Amino acid sequence: MFSFGQLLLGLGTSILLSLALPWILVFLYTVWARQQGVNGREKLLAELGQPPDRRVVGYFHPYCNAGGGGERVLWTAIVRSQRNEPNVVSVVYSGDIDASKEEIIAKVKLRFDIVLDPSSLHFVFLEKRWLVEDATWPAFTLLGQSIGSMILTWEAITNVVPHLFIDTMGYAFSFPVVSLIASVPTGAYVHYPTISTQMLKRVTNRQSGVTNRNFISQSIVLTYGKLLYYRIFMFYYSRALRMASFKMANSSWTKNHVDAILVHRDPLLEFANTFSLARFLFAGPPASAHKQSAQIVYPSCDTRAMSSFPLTPREPVVLSVAQFRPEKNHAAQLQALAALLKQHPSTPAKFVLLGGARNDDDLQRVDTLRLLARNLGVEDHVEFVVNASYAEVLEWLAKSSVGLSTMVDEHFGINVVELMAAGVIPVSHASGGPLHDIIVSFEGKPTGYHARTPEEFADAIHIALTLPEDEAQEMRQRARTWAVQAFSEDEFERTWNTSGWRDVLEEGYTQSQ
Ligand SMILES: *[C@@H]1O[C@H](CO)[C@@H](O)[C@H](O)[C@H]1NC(C)=O
Ligand SMILES: *[C@@H]1O[C@H](CO)[C@@H](O)[C@H](O)[C@H]1NC(C)=O
Ligand SMILES: *[C@@H]1O[C@H](CO)[C@@H](O)[C@H](O)[C@H]1NC(C)=O
């Protein structure tokens, strides 16, 4: 059935898996201890002055005070729950031991303008966050952080057992721990998959390349080792993810990756797993038995500042808002401008490349771009705006006609949402989030353009700049209406609702009675 090499692989796997034994003993001990003890809920509800029949939802977000996009999702979910569900109390498992509950709530207000109600919100402060920090695991980072997150989850759950546990930071290995210790239902909101099937494929290809070319045996061992490492990791990652009762993804890019992971199959490891103790921990269904795919829940974008700009008059400005990072592909914008000037020498278009420069490399890149503009003979039509203030960004958004985004395979593209909300007609590279999530047709009509080559970009920009006034106006309005609505908090709440979290929560509550 299996070749000799595969059997060796299987044997190695079983040995590796059995290393998990001590951990499993710790968990079993905890299960036992938990059955004797309390779950922390009564005490917490009493402290908050809430009746004992409240439902408790736990959000696992060890970096909840970081103030980034992921945190915005967390606080929006919680504030919406507070507004709509008076019988739900939210618990955040946080590793920010230096900040108090009041401080975190104040920062959320300041940073996101989200007002949290302290009477139905509780924080469990975790001491062991260092276990998931990059610096703790210079080697075997994936594995180290995953085991670290399991111990961190253990710390969280032994403090307060919720009725529903939602991981909002991508620690899928928390699910087996929660299931084992507390048998509570779990849910996932995924921003970014920890490992992707592509990554695994890349390592696999490298491995076959090495064996074919008959490299020295040491490198074969190393590559085999790495492949095995990734394979085992992917196998258990997909098992862990499948344990969640619902899975949400922040974009179609993430959803596609998560869906591929959910149906990931590895018969050999499946076989090895039946003899390993890890199977009691990762009790999720095999890929063949899994039907549910991830559901997209877009984070809400704050478009209030730009969505009231008048749609006219607009200057013939073609605006790009993107940090001067290599992947943003600013050179393609200059090439598009060169193509545009070649086809339409009298075009009034003026390109404005606006963006932050984080360091010397970025600044150097700006210099190189200026040089390129000169070499292409387009420097009179370009303006670089480096490190503009937010107010300046808004000014440009208010007067530009066309917006430009040239990054290839951008996962999302919040800058494109902002262009559209500002009434700027977007032209983006035909890939990633701008193609699949953002510049899509609305009410059967386009909300912008896509392009690949400099010539296609030039064509699209020319079309957008020369639309008849009424058509331009309609398209600006359509782009704005769509962007503001699709990435609004209401839409976030509506799609979050359809994950079915409420039913899962009731299930968890009933089970605990
Ligand atoms: C999803 O999360 C990833 C990782 O944080 C981020 O790069 C991406 O922009 C997010 N997508 C959306 C729609 O916010
Ligand atoms: C832009 O801002 C960053 C950080 O705020 C700073 O490090 C950098 O030096 C600034 N660059 C310029 C050109 O002012
Ligand atoms: C989400 O569900 C709650 C009830 O659980 C309801 O009050 C709220 O209106 C729903 N929100 C949306 C936008 O559908």
Side-chain angles (χ1 to χ4, degrees):
M1 186 161 69
F2 300 119
S3 73
F4 180 67
Q6 281 181 318
L7 280 178
L8 266 185
L9 200 67
L11 189 66
T13 311
S14 295
I15 293 170
L16 273 180
L17 296 183
S18 301
L19 295 179
L21 180 63
W23 291 117
I24 290 167
L25 291 179
V26 168
F27 288 132
L28 291 178
Y29 169 76
T30 319
V31 178
W32 173 80
R34 191 114 295 283
Q35 277 168 352
Q36 324 281 313
V38 288
N39 55 38
R41 279 193 304 260
E42 288 84 359
K43 184 161 159 276
L44 134 77
L45 293 174
E47 265 174 35
L48 288 173
Q50 294 274 3
D53 67 343
R54 289 297 188 240
R55 276 62 166 158
V56 177
V57 179
Y59 296 86
F60 193 64
H61 205 109
Y63 294 87
C64 76
N65 207 23
E71 287 66 57
R72 190 195 179 86
V73 169
L74 169 72
W75 303 122
T76 310
I78 291 178
V79 80
R80 290 277 159 167
S81 160
Q82 292 191 323
R83 219 171 286 165
N84 293 325
E85 329 273 344
N87 70 342
V88 171
V89 166
S90 306
V91 171
V92 176
Y93 299 105
S94 159
D96 295 289
I97 40 180
D98 298 334
S100 68
K101 171 175 173 176
E102 290 72 28
E103 281 165 353
I104 296 178
I105 290 178
K107 184 168 168 187
V108 171
K109 166 81 180 75
L110 199 67
R111 175 78 179 78
F112 301 116
D113 201 15
I114 293 176
V115 181
L116 295 161
D117 174 3
S119 72
S120 62
L121 177 60
H122 178 79
F123 288 87
V124 171
F125 291 100
L126 308 171
E127 303 281 340
K128 297 188 175 65
R129 189 174 75 182
W130 59 272
L131 283 170
V132 297
E133 244 135 64
D134 282 340
T136 311
W137 307 100
F140 295 97
T141 315
L142 277 182
L143 182 68
Q145 287 182 324
S146 298
I147 292 176
S149 73
M150 294 169 90
I151 301 169
L152 196 62
T153 307
W154 172 75
E155 186 188 358
I157 289 296
T158 45
N159 264 285
V160 172
V161 180
H163 295 117
L164 164 63
F165 176 97
I166 306 179
D167 162 61
T168 43
M169 270 201 80
Y171 293 115
F173 285 81
S174 60
F175 304 141
V177 179
V178 175
S179 291
L180 185 68
I181 300 183
S183 51
V184 163
T186 52
Y189 185 94
V190 185
H191 290 272
Y192 200 87
T194 310
I195 179 176
S196 67
T197 43
Q198 261 105 329
M199 240 163 112
L200 190 63
K201 221 175 279 163
R202 270 203 297 278
V203 183
T204 312
N205 291 344
R206 221 173 300 149
Q207 176 233 348
S208 48
V210 167
T211 39
N212 291 347
R213 271 180 273 124
N214 225 342
F215 263 48
I216 49 167
S217 57
Q218 192 192 5
S219 91
I220 294 182
V221 171
L222 271 182
T223 338
Y224 259 114
K226 189 156 186 197
L227 173 64
L228 184 60
Y229 173 56
Y230 276 111
R231 267 179 77 173
I232 295 178
F233 192 87
M234 174 58 95
F235 179 75
Y236 285 107
Y237 181 58
S238 69
R239 285 219 145 205
L241 257 185
R242 284 197 288 267
M243 294 177 82
S245 298
F246 54 84
K247 298 113 193 148
M248 299 181 252
N250 80 347
S251 61
S252 55
W253 185 89
T254 307
K255 174 192 158 55
N256 291 340
H257 279 83
V258 170
D259 286 350
I261 292 160
L262 288 172
V263 299
H264 172 75
R265 306 185 72 156
D266 195 330
L268 184 69
L269 286 187
E270 201 67 63
F271 179 70
N273 182 52
T274 31
F275 301 106
S276 105
L277 287 162
R279 80 191 167 104
F280 296 109
L281 189 54
F282 293 85
S288 52
H290 196 79
K291 297 282 175 288
Q292 189 195 40
S293 57
Q295 184 203 339
I296 300 180
V297 177
Y298 293 117
S300 58
C301 304
D302 187 354
T303 50
R304 278 170 298 183
M306 54 285 279
S307 58
S308 58
F309 294 159
L311 295 176
T312 48
R314 296 274 170 161
E315 294 171 21
V317 169
V318 179
L319 177 69
S320 154
V321 183
Q323 278 184 343
F324 288 97
R325 287 190 282 161
E327 68 272 21
K328 296 293 181 183
N329 203 5
H330 285 91
Q333 304 180 355
L334 299 177
Q335 278 148 6
L337 175 57
L340 178 67
L341 286 170
K342 195 167 155 211
Q343 290 162 13
H344 309 279
S346 59
T347 178
K350 175 182 161 189
F351 277 43
V352 173
L353 275 53
L354 186 155
R358 300 156 303 166
N359 48 37
D360 284 347
D361 283 351
D362 285 358
L363 282 179
Q364 194 125 37
R365 214 166 346 262
V366 176
D367 287 341
T368 314
L369 288 167
R370 284 188 211 274
L371 197 64
L372 177 63
R374 207 167 313 138
N375 290 344
L376 290 170
V378 299
E379 76 265 39
D380 294 342
H381 296 259
V382 189
E383 182 178 340
F384 289 88
V385 184
V386 182
N387 271 9
S389 69
Y390 188 56
E392 264 180 282
V393 177
L394 291 178
E395 265 173 45
W396 281 111
L397 282 170
K399 63 183 174 196
S400 298
S401 294
V402 175
L404 199 52
S405 162
T406 40
M407 181 170 164
V408 179
D409 288 333
E410 178 147 45
H411 297 170
F412 188 60
I414 197 163
N415 55 332
V416 180
V417 175
E418 290 174 345
L419 288 169
M420 293 166 83
V424 178
I425 297 177
V427 179
S428 84
H429 190 269
S431 65
L435 176 68
H436 298 292
D437 298 306
I438 306 174
I439 312 177
V440 296
S441 56
F442 177 53
E443 292 171 345
K445 294 195 178 132
T447 54
Y449 302 92
H450 299 108
R452 285 198 171 77
T453 63
E455 289 71 29
E456 286 172 17
F457 269 102
D459 285 341
I461 291 166
H462 181 69
I463 293 173
L465 280 176
T466 53
L467 281 177
E469 194 46 50
D470 53 337
E471 275 182 45
Q473 178 92 356
E474 272 170 34
M475 190 180 270
R476 292 184 204 291
Q477 186 60 58
R478 205 157 47 235
R480 168 178 287 172
T481 309
W482 155 252
V484 168
Q485 175 222 301
F487 306 103
S488 66
E489 272 193 30
D490 274 342
E491 186 62 14
F492 173 84
E493 179 180 304
R494 194 187 65 76
T495 44
W496 185 284
N497 270 357
T498 54
S499 70
W501 72 278
R502 205 74 185 67
D503 295 340
V504 178
L505 173 60
E506 279 314 305
E507 240 169 69
Y509 182 79
T510 314
Q511 276 166 23
S512 76
Q513 296 307 296

